[in-house]
């Protein structure tokens, strides 16, 4: 929460937890495996939120759906921050069994979101749903940097005369979901 991915070491992680570096190595071989496990846990929690939407709501308009999805991600700032880090390196520096466990969690989140789309928007075709997912999931990698700006980044934008609207995770996600549903021909109020 306080350091960048590149600066964190296993020693730092051991100092912040009840684990010694030796005991950390019983579970993880690299810091990338630790971050991948955290990301897996976040995906599992997000999937549970999506499952709750599926089980507790019979109908949702596109606007209500956008609101519900945005609220689930509003609670997942840690997931979004981890996704904005170098996932490619995290995956590449992890053992196969850890990568498989993460991919299962990631796939379960994608499946839960697809089932939400199928349930609440039965007119969407399989191609529409796939298009939504393949636009939305890459979008997740960029939410955090566009919603959380450090003092240093803000100062640089000020000096560069860059106007940067401060949006929340909720606002940027709600807008994107509405746009994606609209692109599929789904009216916001139907």
């Amino acid at each position: 929460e306080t350091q960048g991915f590149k600066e964190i070491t296993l020693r730092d992680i051991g100092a912040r937890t009840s684990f010694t570096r030796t005991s950390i190595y019983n579970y993880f071989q690299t810091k990338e495996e630790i971050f991948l496990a955290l990301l897996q846990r976040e995906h599992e929690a997000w999937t549970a939120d999506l499952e709750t939407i599926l089980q507790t709501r019979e109908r949702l308009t596109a606007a209500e759906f956008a609101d519900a999805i945005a609220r689930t991600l509003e609670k997942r700032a840690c997931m979004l921050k981890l996704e904005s880090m170098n996932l490619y390196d995290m995956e590449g520096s992890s053992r196969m069994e850890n990568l498989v466990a993460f991919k299962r969690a990631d796939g379960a989140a994608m499946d839960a979101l697809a089932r939400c789309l199928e349930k609440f928007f039965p007119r969407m075709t399989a191609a529409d749903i796939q298009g939504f997912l393949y636009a939305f999931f890459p979008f997740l990698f960029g939410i955090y940097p566009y919603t959380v700006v450090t003092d240093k980044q803000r100062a640089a934008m000020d000096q560069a005369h860059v106007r940067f609207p401060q949006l929340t995770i909720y606002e940027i996600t709600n807008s994107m979901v509405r746009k994606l549903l609209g692109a599929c021909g789904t009216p916001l109020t139907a």
Side-chain angles (χ1 to χ4, degrees), residues 35-54:
F35 283 100
L36 196 64
L38 288 170
L39 187 54
Q40 176 185 334
R41 185 182 67 187
E42 286 293 314
H43 273 262
E44 290 165 350
W46 185 43
T47 300
D49 292 341
L50 295 171
E51 293 291 344
T52 298
I53 292 169
L54 272 167

Side-chain angles (χ1 to χ4, degrees), residues 73 77 80-81 139-140 142-150 153-154 164-173:
L73 288 175
L80 298 173
K81 183 176 184 179
F139 161 78
L140 294 177
I143 295 173
Y144 191 84
Y146 278 89
T147 58
V148 179
V149 180
T150 66
Q153 291 167 324
R154 190 178 321 284
F164 186 80
Q166 187 64 48
L167 299 172
T168 65
I169 291 170
Y170 173 86
E171 291 167 331
I172 199 169
T173 303

